[in-house]
Amino acid sequence: MAISYTLDRYVSDLRTITAEETDPVKITDLVAPLAKKFAQSPELRRPEYRECDYEQGFGVHLLHEEPNHDLAVFLISWLPNRGTTPHNHKTWAVVVGIEGQEQEINYDRLDDGTKRGYADLKPSGEQVMTAGDIARCYPEHIHSVWNVGKDISMSLHTYGRHINYTGRSEFDLQHRLEKPYVIKVADDEHARA
Ligand SMILES: [Fe+2]
């Protein structure tokens, strides 16, 4: 039987990469194939990772973060026809589809970001992620994610820093607002034990 690529090995590789590189483009180039390999790990098939948060629309399962909140790895499960507002990350990100169909809509920012709380965004493209597909985000990239399938979808998310600790934003397109974006992370520490 093939030895699977474990969370411990993945995190060890993330540490090596980020110790040697600081450019988000180079980091995500190196992380992407490893994230795709780790997305196939049997470790990610626990039933508790499929649990979604009905209020939020998606369940955020933290697999790893460093003590200073760097190198955060999440498994996120999305309810059908639910998703996120447009948001940025203020860190690099690599996302791999595990199952289902997640639509990503990208946005361009038209204003210069100097007026506090104001943001004028324009959709600039979209694609649908399915199992094995990889998406990368850079710190200022703005997108929204929506489960467009009939069943739950799941994806593996790796960030340079835990996204509740980057000072990132969500955006209200209609009212042209920018506000702090903090997501609810599932209380499933037992699952990581
Ligand atoms: Fe995102």
Side-chain angles (χ1 to χ4, degrees), residues 36-190:
K36 186 167 178 169
K37 190 161 60 156
F38 179 55
Q40 296 166 359
S41 167
E43 283 180 80
L44 302 182
R45 272 57 187 177
R46 292 173 184 240
E48 51 267 48
Y49 291 156
R50 305 181 68 81
E51 287 171 11
C52 300
D53 183 302
Y54 281 79
E55 196 180 320
Q56 182 165 248
F58 48 93
V60 181
H61 304 278
L62 177 66
L63 307 181
H64 175 81
E65 66 175 320
E66 302 286 47
N68 70 354
H69 305 298
D70 281 351
L71 301 182
V73 183
F74 298 95
L75 198 57
I76 306 187
S77 295
W78 310 77
L79 289 165
N81 201 30
R82 299 289 297 276
T84 71
T85 52
H87 59 267
N88 61 20
H89 306 88
K90 299 283 183 186
T91 185
W92 59 262
V94 173
V95 182
V96 182
I98 292 178
E99 68 176 67
Q101 299 160 326
E102 293 173 13
Q103 179 193 50
E104 178 190 28
I105 300 177
N106 299 301
Y107 298 88
D108 286 337
R109 185 166 187 161
L110 305 179
D111 65 298
D112 64 7
T114 55
K115 188 173 160 190
R116 194 177 166 82
Y118 176 85
D120 188 12
L121 306 186
K122 184 182 77 159
S124 61
E126 62 179 72
Q127 57 270 333
V128 174
M129 165 182 278
T130 57
D133 290 344
I134 299 176
R136 300 155 199 227
C137 298
Y138 305 118
E140 301 305 325
H141 174 212
I142 299 171
H143 72 171
S144 56
V145 178
W146 201 261
N147 178 359
V148 292
K150 288 192 172 64
D151 300 309
I152 73 158
S153 66
M154 296 180 79
S155 42
L156 176 71
H157 297 240
T158 304
Y159 300 97
R161 184 167 173 79
H162 187 309
I163 41 179
N164 282 351
Y165 298 90
T166 61
R168 72 182 184 141
S169 301
E170 67 176 328
F171 299 91
D172 178 335
L173 282 187
Q174 193 186 352
H175 300 100
R176 296 183 181 165
L177 298 175
E178 175 174 5
K179 16 185 201 186
Y181 189 31
V182 173
I183 54 171
K184 197 160 110 194
V185 177
D187 178 19
D188 55 1
E189 193 148 357
H190 61 279

Side-chain angles (χ1 to χ4, degrees), residues 20-38:
E20 291 170 0
E21 294 287 353
T22 54
D23 175 7
V25 175
K26 288 183 183 158
I27 290 173
T28 54
D29 276 352
L30 294 166
V31 169
L34 304 178
K36 186 167 178 169
K37 190 161 60 156
F38 179 55

